[in-house]
Amino acid sequence: MPSDESKPRKVRGRPPRLSRALVVATAVELVREDGLRTLSMRSLAERLGVTPMAVYKHVANRDELALWVVEEIFATLLLPEDRLEPLAWLRELARRVRALGLANRGVMDFLLEEGPIVGATLVILDRTVRKLHDAGVPWEEAGALHNTFFSWLAGAVRRQEQWDSRSEEAPPLFQRFFAAAATLPPGEYPGIAHTLPHMQATSIEAEFEASLSFMLEGIQRRIDARLAGVRRGRLTRKA
């Protein structure tokens, strides 16, 4: 990525001088308001009060603009303290990434499609893999666990984005599903009969936390299995 440019100082009586820093900062504002999917060079130029051609002098195209925007957004993410144990570290990281994704709709879609290709997200990848490896997970498996964990997280954020964008006139979430499930004979569908009341009572936040716990429990089992294998190997060598 090119080097950052300092933000321009405002001059009374005329608009600030256009720069890449101003272009990116304004694009981030638009993403926070309307999401990354709707961001365009034209809408950005309108917000800046310039022609699209003036924007192209600082950003090559919409794809490069998206890279800069995602970099700028994730650069604000504060990683959890390194002293935390791996599972506690991952839990806190997931909560922070989720909050960032929900505040900037569309960035998680970008990462699902492109991968962690900007500097700030590559840092997250590196720190996560190192954290898992330090806990006893081989490098290859640590990378796979990272990919699985963050694919789930991005999907969870994307799903909530769709829920949050629903109009006030839209029917309650899953109303049709709950109505259809309630018509099934309990004797033929005991699984649905037993779980439906719990599904209806679960909030979005509670569902996210439960899913996060399921993911972390699976990772903990992988860590425990690796450590148990190391201990068995040591005992075998001693014998």
Side-chain angles (χ1 to χ4, degrees):
M1 299 289 289
S3 60
D4 290 331
E5 296 177 22
S6 59
K7 292 187 178 181
R9 292 176 294 178
K10 291 185 178 180
V11 179
R12 183 176 296 179
R14 64 180 182 180
R17 183 167 174 260
L18 202 61
S19 66
R20 182 181 293 115
L22 179 60
V23 166
V24 174
T26 305
V28 170
E29 290 178 3
L30 289 173
V31 169
R32 286 176 181 154
E33 293 172 12
D34 302 315
L36 183 59
R37 298 179 197 89
T38 64
L39 179 66
S40 67
M41 302 295 275
R42 182 172 297 279
S43 65
L44 178 57
E46 290 175 357
R47 173 62 64 89
L48 289 165
V50 299
T51 65
M53 190 57 65
V55 177
Y56 281 110
K57 292 180 181 179
H58 300 278
V59 182
N61 49 46
R62 202 270 182 188
D63 288 342
E64 185 183 68
L65 177 63
L67 284 173
W68 278 104
V69 166
V70 175
E71 176 73 75
E72 186 82 0
I73 289 170
F74 272 88
T76 66
L77 180 72
L78 182 64
L79 292 174
E81 294 183 34
D82 198 52
R83 63 177 178 79
L84 292 175
E85 292 298 318
L87 274 294
W89 190 89
L90 276 174
R91 184 182 295 276
E92 183 58 30
L93 178 63
R95 290 169 175 166
R96 295 183 187 187
V97 170
R98 175 180 179 246
L100 195 68
L102 291 175
N104 301 275
R105 288 175 291 118
V107 297
M108 301 306 283
D109 268 354
F110 176 91
L111 295 178
L112 277 173
E113 295 168 5
E114 302 290 343
I117 61 175
V118 301
T121 54
L122 287 170
V123 169
I124 295 173
L125 164 61
D126 179 75
R127 291 289 300 280
T128 301
V129 170
R130 284 164 51 193
K131 199 76 175 175
L132 292 168
H133 182 262
D134 290 346
V137 179
W139 289 115
E140 180 180 357
E141 187 173 333
L145 284 174
H146 164 277
N147 294 344
T148 301
F149 185 76
F150 282 96
S151 293
W152 159 78
L153 180 57
V157 171
R158 184 183 186 190
R159 187 185 189 199
Q160 187 169 344
E161 283 181 15
Q162 295 172 340
W163 292 343
D164 292 346
S165 65
R166 290 161 58 89
S167 66
E168 294 182 0
E169 295 76 24
L173 286 172
F174 303 120
Q175 184 181 59
R176 295 175 64 186
F177 159 65
F178 291 143
T183 64
L184 299 174
E188 296 181 29
Y189 300 90
I192 291 177
H194 285 290
T195 58
L196 188 60
H198 302 287
M199 290 181 177
Q200 291 172 313
T202 300
S203 68
I204 293 174
E205 290 298 321
E207 182 180 274
F208 172 77
E209 288 295 332
S211 299
L212 176 56
S213 292
F214 294 152
M215 294 295 297
L216 294 177
E217 287 168 9
I219 293 174
Q220 185 63 62
R221 290 193 187 98
R222 303 295 300 178
I223 293 173
D224 292 343
R226 287 292 177 179
L227 293 177
V230 170
R231 285 193 292 268
R232 286 195 299 270
R234 288 174 180 170
L235 290 172
T236 300
R237 286 194 296 271
K238 287 181 179 179

